Amino acid sequence: MVAFKLPLLLVLLHAVFGSAHRWFNWQFEVTCESDGYVAPHNEQAVANFLKNQYPNAPHIKVVGNGHGFGNLTTCVDTSLTQKKSFIVSLTNLKDISIDKTNMTVTFGAGWDVYDLIEELRANDLSFQNLGVERVQNMIGAASTGTHGSAQDLGNIATQIIGLRVLDAQGNLRIVNETMNAQELDAFRISLGALGLITEATIKVQPTTFFKRTTVVLNSTNDWNQFYTEMEQMYKEHERLTVWGPHFDYFENNKTWGLEPTYFASYWEPTNYTGARNCSDNYCANGCGNCKQNYFCYDEIAYANSCPPQGVCSHEFYAEIEHFFPIEEFVNVATNYTTYQQSQNSRMNTDYNGLVIYQWRALRGDSAWMSPVNTYNLGPESSGVFGIIEIDWLQSYNNFPALWDNQALADEFMPKFGEKFNARSHWNKMNPANATLIKELFPKLPDFLAIQERQDPQCQFVNEFLYTQLGIERCANYV
């Protein structure tokens, strides 16, 4: 038995004896209450907690920074279960080891993206690819398929070459390129269903600089023309993100209008190592003066993502993000936009503000539960996916308006998922449809077999995982 430090022991005792803890996601519209909050000091303490609790089979959910829109990271609320329900934070697992010979970094589960970027920068290293923001926990972001925009690169999880994972009984499983290598693609995007990841090893690269160029473009409501021109931009740039079209809500006559301009950013490798200025105006989450022609230079992470202080909008909003084979880009984009417009009469509340479209691209991969898995692509596919994101932003935090927008967001996947082989970003408004999920993720049966081995009593399964993945054996547990 490891000797706990006194503060940790008190935390564990409070958890065991029912010191309730309420959890919220980043915008405070998703919440749950557990019997206790557990923050072990190291991996052995995590293992001991799991071993001690296993005979009672409590619900256990690891939480990072709560930067999600859905219920993937929600604990099983105490009002819904007779069992104990624990939230586990791995924030104290902060060990790190950098191997410049093999260009890898091994780090504990407590590292957030922002802090890890700074540690790499201090050692003249860079990530290959990141998401748009740096506020997430690194392993949490990888485990849900978080990504940037690059036709030649995959999501964050593709950089993972090794993991240390504890199962429900506290047993350690090492999964890397030499040990249990056949399971690496299962654990890269594990959705929190396969155990508690305590450590990860990823590939890195020498410090890399990019030039980011932003251009303002003219809008048109001829959607075939609009998206054909956008498709051409993706043919010209490997790394491109387009923000548009944008629609404004006018309260006086309760109508929606197309903004006359939109903008796009593209990234190019550069040898320039002078002033680093991309973070001065990243334009994430409504920050900065986004609609202007400009360019900047910076290290890749700073050129591609914004720091936590860049998350400056915390109004409620609903969001979907769907992935589809890029060969269908114009057809998909036109259908999604036309359907959105056909539903505008439902969105006439004064609490609405904007509808924003964002477009990206991503290289497909072999992770079993990756939203860009390539297992069911035909021979005509390039293996590159287009990404559509639609954000329904409010001008005021009003729950009925949020729920109306979320109801609309839920309609896109049933309507277009099977038609276009579209897959949703995990934790971003995925309606429950285990039958469709099995078609979109052909390796799901293999994933669930590992899930049963790692979690025989369904302790890591919440309602989201049960309904999304169709884990029928857990019906009596959740």
Side-chain angles (χ1 to χ4, degrees):
M1 180 73 175
V2 68
F4 295 116
K5 290 185 177 180
L6 182 58
L8 173 64
L9 180 58
L10 292 175
V11 168
L12 290 175
L13 287 173
H14 278 301
V16 172
F17 289 105
S19 178
H21 178 83
R22 178 159 289 280
W23 176 89
F24 295 90
N25 74 335
W26 72 289
Q27 59 176 0
F28 298 100
E29 103 285 7
V30 175
T31 184
C32 65
E33 184 169 287
S34 69
D35 289 295
Y37 174 90
V38 182
H41 186 65
N42 55 32
E43 182 184 80
Q44 187 59 57
V46 182
N48 289 339
F49 169 75
L50 293 170
K51 289 177 182 177
N52 292 336
Q53 290 298 322
Y54 186 74
N56 302 317
H59 297 289
I60 295 172
K61 178 55 63 177
V62 177
V63 296
N65 294 339
H67 200 76
F69 293 84
N71 294 315
L72 172 59
T73 53
T74 305
C75 63
V76 178
D77 196 278
T78 53
S79 65
L80 303 176
T81 179
Q82 297 298 314
K83 297 183 178 182
K84 291 289 185 180
S85 179
F86 292 109
I87 287 177
V88 177
S89 171
L90 302 180
T91 188
N92 292 322
L93 277 60
K94 287 287 184 69
D95 290 343
I96 189 167
S97 174
I98 295 174
D99 182 348
K100 288 191 175 182
T101 300
N102 294 308
M103 297 303 289
T104 63
V105 56
T106 300
F107 56 93
W111 282 88
D112 292 340
V113 174
Y114 178 82
D115 296 322
L116 201 50
I117 287 171
E118 296 305 305
E119 189 73 17
L120 292 187
R121 279 165 58 90
N123 287 273
D124 299 319
L125 297 171
S126 293
F127 284 108
Q128 295 177 344
N129 201 7
L130 288 172
V132 72
E133 294 164 1
R134 298 175 230 162
V135 299
Q136 302 103 324
N137 171 269
M138 183 65 185
I139 289 179
S143 297
T144 54
T146 300
H147 60 90
S149 183
Q151 296 180 60
D152 56 342
L153 288 176
N155 52 46
I156 289 177
T158 60
Q159 300 167 97
I160 295 175
I161 61 171
L163 294 162
R164 292 172 66 90
V165 189
L166 294 170
D167 69 12
Q169 300 179 66
N171 300 315
L172 176 65
R173 191 170 188 84
I174 297 174
V175 182
N176 57 36
E177 294 176 313
T178 57
M179 296 183 65
N180 303 304
Q182 74 280 4
E183 295 184 359
L184 189 53
D185 278 333
F187 280 88
R188 278 187 169 123
I189 297 180
S190 66
L191 309 178
L194 303 186
L196 279 64
I197 298 173
T198 59
E199 183 180 272
T201 300
I202 63 173
K203 294 290 291 184
V204 293
Q205 62 187 6
T207 298
T208 304
F209 291 89
F210 270 73
K211 175 185 179 182
R212 187 177 84 238
T213 302
T214 298
V215 293
V216 179
L217 303 163
N218 294 321
S219 301
T220 173
N221 58 10
D222 180 339
W223 301 124
N224 186 70
Q225 175 188 338
F226 187 97
Y227 290 120
T228 298
E229 292 174 356
M230 192 181 297
E231 181 182 48
Q232 183 58 38
M233 285 193 286
Y234 277 99
K235 292 178 180 178
E236 296 171 358
H237 302 286
E238 286 287 341
R239 302 189 180 203
L240 172 74
T241 297
V242 180
W243 288 269
H246 299 72
F247 297 93
D248 296 303
Y249 181 67
F250 302 104
E251 294 184 8
N252 57 340
N253 58 3
K254 298 186 183 300
T255 60
W256 290 88
L258 174 67
E259 290 189 2
T261 58
Y262 67 106
F263 62 100
S265 294
Y266 56 90
W267 292 261
E268 302 166 296
T270 178
N271 292 325
Y272 176 82
T273 58
R276 302 183 181 186
N277 58 347
C278 284
S279 285
D280 294 340
N281 182 11
Y282 187 73
C283 301
N285 287 334
C287 300
N289 180 16
C290 301
K291 285 189 179 181
Q292 59 173 315
N293 295 304
Y294 73 98
F295 59 87
C296 61
Y297 299 88
D298 221 316
E299 186 269 335
I300 182 172
Y302 276 62
N304 283 276
S305 63
C306 73
Q309 58 266 35
V311 184
C312 63
S313 175
H314 282 276
E315 285 78 19
F316 285 171
Y317 68 95
E319 177 179 300
I320 61 170
E321 190 170 351
H322 292 177
F323 306 77
F324 54 87
I326 201 167
E327 288 77 13
E328 291 272 15
F329 182 86
V330 175
N331 194 18
V332 169
T334 301
N335 274 270
Y336 272 68
T337 308
T338 301
Y339 184 71
Q340 163 62 40
Q341 286 192 298
S342 73
Q343 304 303 307
N344 281 349
S345 61
R346 298 165 52 181
M347 303 174 58
N348 58 6
T349 173
D350 290 345
Y351 297 117
N352 277 312
L354 289 170
V355 174
I356 298 176
Y357 285 69
Q358 183 178 159
W359 303 92
R360 286 175 280 183
L362 196 66
R363 170 65 59 180
D365 62 76
S366 59
W368 295 359
M369 301 309 294
S370 171
V372 292
N373 78 80
T374 57
Y375 292 106
N376 69 352
L377 296 184
E380 74 286 352
S381 175
S382 64
V384 175
F385 286 77
I387 308 168
I388 176 174
E389 177 182 313
I390 307 178
D391 299 318
W392 293 267
L393 278 68
Q394 296 178 215
S395 59
Y396 181 80
N397 284 350
N398 175 268
F399 273 105
L402 174 68
W403 295 332
D404 285 345
N405 291 340
Q406 288 178 336
L408 174 58
D410 279 339
E411 295 175 12
F412 282 81
M413 184 53 66
K415 188 171 183 64
F416 299 115
E418 188 171 0
K419 182 178 180 180
F420 295 120
N421 195 8
R423 308 90 177 275
S424 178
H425 194 304
W426 296 109
N427 213 27
K428 288 190 178 180
M429 306 307 299
N430 333 29
N433 188 335
T435 301
L436 179 58
I437 291 293
K438 189 173 181 179
E439 294 178 7
L440 301 176
F441 298 86
K443 301 291 285 185
L444 176 60
D446 300 317
F447 181 86
L448 293 183
I450 294 177
Q451 202 282 324
E452 183 171 7
R453 182 197 73 205
Q454 295 288 107
D455 184 21
Q457 300 182 120
C458 300
Q459 294 173 251
F460 304 144
V461 176
N462 60 6
E463 184 178 3
F464 179 95
L465 290 171
Y466 165 64
T467 56
Q468 288 285 321
L469 306 185
I471 313 178
E472 291 303 322
R473 70 182 186 85
C474 295
N476 294 327
Y477 289 85
V478 180

